[in-house]
Amino acid sequence: MDNNIDFKDLWKKQAISQPDIEDLLERVKQFKKAGVRSIWKTNILLAATSTFMIFVWYYYQPQFISTKIGIILGILAMVIYVGFYNRLFNIYKNSDATQDNHEYLQQLILIRKKQQFIQSVVLSWYFILLMTGICLYMYEYASRMTVFYALITYGITLLWIGFNWFYLRPKQIQKQKEKIDSLIEKFEEVNEQLES
């Protein structure tokens, strides 16, 4: 009876669970489609909002310069955000899951970096400009109210902005981060298995 066990031979014969490539490609396809759809929705929503703000300026003819500056800051915030966000569109459009795994992994990492920049720097400036614009815009109408109602109006508005900043924004960022991180993790697993 031979007591010598060849561990290397046993290790080579061990069944390795291969990642389901079809499932991974389907997840990539859904991720790409969701990203493009999100960009289109954002463009449409912010274009409609900007158009409405221009309509308000034209139709109601605000008297205070602060109101006009507020509208300009609001539109500027949206234009800046959309400008940076649309840069992701070319990456989504040019990404192809049939590329080399390493290249596609690099594209996913690039998307993650751009998303992080948008979610931190660009979104911060968006909220600052938008909040400033809204507060300036409201000044003309709040000046016609009693102090109590003006404070209530500003309070509710600032609470809504705070709710978006401190609650909704982090949840959305976390959701996007989890999606792309799981895809990157799967592609790293595939690359590791192909290299070994």
Side-chain angles (χ1 to χ4, degrees), residues 29-107:
K29 185 176 161 185
Q30 288 174 354
F31 174 76
K32 184 177 170 180
K33 193 182 287 186
V36 170
R37 190 174 33 242
S38 175
I39 290 171
W40 278 108
K41 282 181 192 176
T42 301
N43 279 309
I44 291 168
L45 184 63
L46 294 183
T49 305
S50 295
T51 303
F52 177 73
M53 291 171 79
I54 292 169
F55 167 77
V56 166
W57 185 341
Y58 176 77
Y59 187 76
Y60 290 106
Q61 295 293 314
Q63 303 302 308
F64 289 15
I65 191 74
S66 63
T67 310
K68 296 171 185 174
I69 292 171
I71 291 172
I72 291 169
L73 285 177
I75 292 171
L76 180 65
M78 291 181 228
V79 167
I80 290 171
Y81 182 76
V82 165
F84 278 99
Y85 198 55
N86 282 344
R87 291 182 183 178
L88 284 174
F89 184 76
N90 286 334
I91 298 172
Y92 283 126
K93 192 176 90 174
N94 296 332
S95 66
D96 184 12
T98 59
Q99 290 175 310
D100 175 84
N101 283 342
H102 183 70
E103 289 176 28
Y104 198 77
L105 176 62
Q106 294 307 313
Q107 280 196 320

Side-chain angles (χ1 to χ4, degrees), residues 26 44 56 63 68 101 121 124 127 132 137 159 174:
E26 184 60 32
I44 291 168
V56 166
Q63 303 302 308
K68 296 171 185 174
N101 283 342
V121 177
S124 296
F127 268 96
T132 305
Y137 174 80
L159 276 174
Q174 186 62 32

Side-chain angles (χ1 to χ4, degrees), residues 160-174:
W160 176 247
I161 292 171
F163 175 73
N164 278 284
W165 179 259
F166 293 110
Y167 182 73
L168 295 179
R169 184 185 67 91
K171 285 187 100 157
Q172 188 65 25
I173 289 171
Q174 186 62 32

